[in-house]
Amino acid sequence: MEWTKTKVSLALSLVMVLVGISLADLKVGFYSNACPQAESIISRVVSGAALSDPNLPAVLLRLHFHDCFVEGCDGSILVDNGPISEKNAFGHQGVRGFEIVEAAKAELEAACPGVVSCSDIVALAARDAISLANGPAYEVPTGRRDGRVSNMSLAKDMPEVNDSIEILKAKFMQKGLNAKELVLLSAAHTIGTTACFFMSKRLYDFLPGGQPDPTINPIFLPELTTRCPRNGDVNVRLPMDRLSERLFDKQILRNIKDGFAVLQTDAGLYEDVTTRWVVDSYIGLLNPIFGPTFEFDFVKAIVKMGKIGVKTGSKGDIRRVCSAFN
């Protein structure tokens, strides 16, 4: 597995050189002079916190996604500025991990005051979280500045669990992400859990007469309704990836094909011709020989996502505390 991680990291670096991917003012090793221990401090904080919370890798990965999809990857979701705070938006329900970012920021401020942005901490923590879940290791271009706006009204276009595949593709396209990247980033659901709250419509009100989503495998439906009974506790959580909830792998893509997807949006990936082809490309019989590499392509997708709407230079700040503007 370590050799696989090394190959993914080296291959990605080569592609970035060959095709000249633009990273604006971001670059790998941005803090190598001003705060050389920055990435190791973040990694240590994340690893330590994960010892008491095995679901933390999924938590930090989700935090990165939600941060980037509103106002770009600028740490706006971290700010506490009263009832209007972005983190209070409906689309951010259940997002957590803020205290891990603050813990890393406190150590970084002690070591290198005013140097490392909160938005970079979020991106680097997500990278470290993926590695902890046995996912691919990769380098994160850094140099983001923190945004100066945090308002829940700006999060109204977050992807939602009941979105159709057409709506989902449109929302990703608005962020510069194509159908392939939609599949790859959705596959991040290979780790983590969701709440029964997000399953109610799919299980009990998907079709007229209170019928469930017909794409759910008949074998799987009783498992879901047992975990999330009608009028039951909506806070009960269940794995988003049947069989390997704590392991970063492509099992979730097989689940999507076979009708074992937990979330409606994941199931929808197999209802669209384009996204179905992408799913199949990673799990076909010939994939190990001729097909694309899921880990390598996921890394490209999440690095690209991490460049959405970034602020650099004078366009943003380095917050002293991640939950408050300077």
Side-chain angles (χ1 to χ4, degrees), residues 114-195:
V115 174
V116 182
S117 69
C118 299
S119 46
D120 273 343
I121 295 173
V122 172
L124 290 164
R127 183 271 306 273
D128 295 335
I130 291 170
S131 183
L132 286 175
N134 211 33
Y138 61 97
E139 292 184 307
V140 174
T142 45
R144 299 167 186 79
R145 292 297 178 101
D146 298 323
R148 298 166 179 151
V149 175
S150 178
N151 194 303
M152 63 188 296
S153 66
L154 299 173
K156 60 183 181 299
D157 292 327
M158 278 296 301
E160 298 181 7
V161 294
N162 294 323
D163 282 346
S164 67
I165 183 62
E166 291 78 15
I167 291 175
L168 206 57
K169 287 169 67 176
K171 287 181 176 180
F172 272 67
M173 188 175 297
Q174 288 173 356
K175 302 300 179 183
L177 300 169
N178 59 33
K180 180 178 180 179
E181 289 152 350
L182 163 60
V183 172
L184 289 161
L185 294 171
S186 296
H189 294 154
T190 181
I191 54 175
T193 61
T194 190

Side-chain angles (χ1 to χ4, degrees), residues 230-249:
R230 187 190 295 271
N231 300 321
D233 184 353
V234 296
N235 295 312
V236 169
R237 303 196 68 83
L238 65 161
M240 291 186 289
D241 186 4
R242 186 175 183 263
L243 302 179
S244 64
E245 65 183 281
R246 299 252 168 89
L247 185 66
F248 192 98
D249 58 17

Side-chain angles (χ1 to χ4, degrees), residues 10 22-23 28 32 46 51 70 87 97 102 105 131 152 155 213 217 219 257 264 306 312:
L10 290 174
S22 174
L23 295 176
V28 173
S32 58
V46 170
L51 294 175
V70 181
K87 64 171 60 175
E102 288 288 10
K105 179 61 171 175
S131 183
M152 63 188 296
D213 182 350
N217 191 302
I219 297 173
K257 178 179 181 179
Q264 179 183 325
T312 56

Side-chain angles (χ1 to χ4, degrees), residues 262-274:
V262 173
L263 297 178
Q264 179 183 325
T265 47
D266 288 349
L269 297 174
Y270 215 68
E271 298 173 9
D272 176 83
V273 173
T274 304

